[in-house]
């Protein structure tokens, strides 16, 4: 076996140094389809959870609305119509304010005078002036006949004076009665004027709708 000379050894070493050292190639990482599948499933689960939560919230809102009652739409219609009627009624009152003011004044006056008349009539022994005049005339004839005693003439004269005072009270009551009748006639005319508008119809409709609304609230 021949030994290599020092020169050959050095040349071989140099050649080895110049030759590239082979490197180990790394393969690209293979996708983990199983993990990807799990990730997609987790996302789908979150989406489904959010969808269910949304549906539950929507159902909760619907249940809240349903607790308001089965006649919500009908109630709203009635309330809106009642508001419209009030608006129309206010318009009528503004346009015919003086008429309504006079109506109210007459109503109050008639009520007051009627109470006064009843109080006066309760104190009267005679209801008409004519009935008093008949008695006065009778007593005066008896006094003028000269057939009565002095004491009887004085008694009848006193009665005649009392009858004349009573007559004044009856006249006052009769005058008050006439005033009441005149005011009643004027009130009837105003009622006829008001009836020409739809105020009465609006009032009737309002009462009917209010009754229906109260029934829904019960």
């Amino acid at each position: 076996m021949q030994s290599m000379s020092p020169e050959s050894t050095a040349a071989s070493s140099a050649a080895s140094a110049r030759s590239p050292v082979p490197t180990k190639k790394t393969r690209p990482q293979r996708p983990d389809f199983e993990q990807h599948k799990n990730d997609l499933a987790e996302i789908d689960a979150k989406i489904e959870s959010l969808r269910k939560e949304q549906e539950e919230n929507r159902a909760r809102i619907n249940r809240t609305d349903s607790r308001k009652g089965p006649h919500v739409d009908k109630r709203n219609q009635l309330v809106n119509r009642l508001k419209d009627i009030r608006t129309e009624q206010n318009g009528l009152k503004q346009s015919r304010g003086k008429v309504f003011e006079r109506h109210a004044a007459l109503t109050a006056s008639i009520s007051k005078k009627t109470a006064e008349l009843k109080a006066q009539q309760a104190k009267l022994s005679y209801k008409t002036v004519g009935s008093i005049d008949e008695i006065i005339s009778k007593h005066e004839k008896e006094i003028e006949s000269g057939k009565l005693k002095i004491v009887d003439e004085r008694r009848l004269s006193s009665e005649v004076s009392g009858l004349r005072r009573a007559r004044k009270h009856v006249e006052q009551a009769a005058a008050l009665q006439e005033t009441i009748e005149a005011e009643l006639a004027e009130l009837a005319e105003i009622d006829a004027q008001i009836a020409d508008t739809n105020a009465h119809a609006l009032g009737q409709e309002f009462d009917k709708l209010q009754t229906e609304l109260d029934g829904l609230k019960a």
Side-chain angles (χ1 to χ4, degrees):
M1 181 176 180
Q2 293 182 353
S3 59
M4 296 180 65
S5 64
E7 291 80 1
S8 298
T9 303
S12 177
S13 299
S16 297
R18 288 193 297 268
S19 298
V21 178
T23 58
K24 185 178 180 179
K25 294 183 179 180
T26 58
R27 295 180 179 178
Q29 187 176 2
R30 186 177 181 180
D32 190 344
F33 291 104
E34 197 65 31
Q35 182 63 39
H36 182 65
K37 194 170 159 186
N38 292 336
D39 291 342
L40 289 177
E42 184 177 353
I43 293 172
D44 289 339
K46 289 182 179 179
I47 293 174
E48 181 65 17
S49 176
L50 291 173
R51 185 184 65 79
K52 289 182 178 180
E53 183 179 353
Q54 185 180 27
E55 289 178 355
E56 289 175 358
N57 290 335
R58 187 180 294 113
R60 191 178 300 111
I61 292 172
N62 291 336
R63 287 196 299 272
T64 301
D65 290 340
S66 65
R67 284 197 294 269
K68 295 178 182 177
H71 308 294
V72 176
D73 292 339
K74 182 63 175 178
R75 185 183 297 115
N76 290 338
Q77 290 177 3
L78 291 173
V79 170
N80 291 334
R81 179 53 186 157
L82 287 172
K83 289 180 180 178
D84 291 340
I85 291 175
R86 286 190 182 278
T87 300
E88 292 182 48
Q89 288 176 328
N90 289 334
L92 285 173
K93 287 181 180 180
Q94 291 176 0
S95 63
R96 308 192 67 178
K98 292 182 179 180
V99 175
F100 283 100
E101 287 177 6
R102 182 56 181 165
H103 187 281
L106 283 172
T107 301
S109 176
I110 291 170
S111 178
K112 180 180 179 181
K113 287 182 174 65
T114 300
E116 292 176 359
L117 179 61
K118 289 181 178 179
Q120 290 182 15
Q121 290 176 338
K123 298 177 182 179
L124 297 176
S125 300
Y126 305 93
K127 301 301 181 183
T128 64
V129 172
S131 61
I132 295 176
D133 288 342
E134 288 180 3
I135 299 173
I136 291 175
S137 178
K138 179 181 177 182
H139 288 349
E140 287 179 341
K141 288 179 180 179
E142 290 178 353
I143 293 171
E144 292 173 356
S145 68
K147 299 178 180 179
L148 298 176
K149 296 179 180 179
I150 299 293
V151 64
D152 291 331
E153 286 184 3
R154 289 177 178 176
R155 177 178 59 79
L156 290 179
S157 295
S158 178
E159 287 183 9
V160 169
S161 297
L163 288 168
R164 284 174 176 161
R165 287 193 298 270
R167 189 180 190 281
K168 291 181 180 180
H169 293 311
V170 172
E171 286 177 341
Q172 291 173 355
L176 186 58
Q177 179 67 47
E178 289 179 0
T179 302
I180 293 173
E181 290 175 354
E183 290 183 349
L184 284 171
E186 183 180 355
L187 186 63
E189 292 179 0
I190 294 177
D191 285 336
Q193 294 177 16
I194 296 175
D196 289 339
T197 67
N198 61 340
H200 183 64
L202 287 174
Q204 287 184 329
E205 182 183 1
F206 185 92
D207 293 339
K208 179 181 178 181
L209 294 180
Q210 185 63 58
T211 301
E212 186 175 354
L213 180 61
D214 293 341
L216 292 178
K217 291 179 180 179

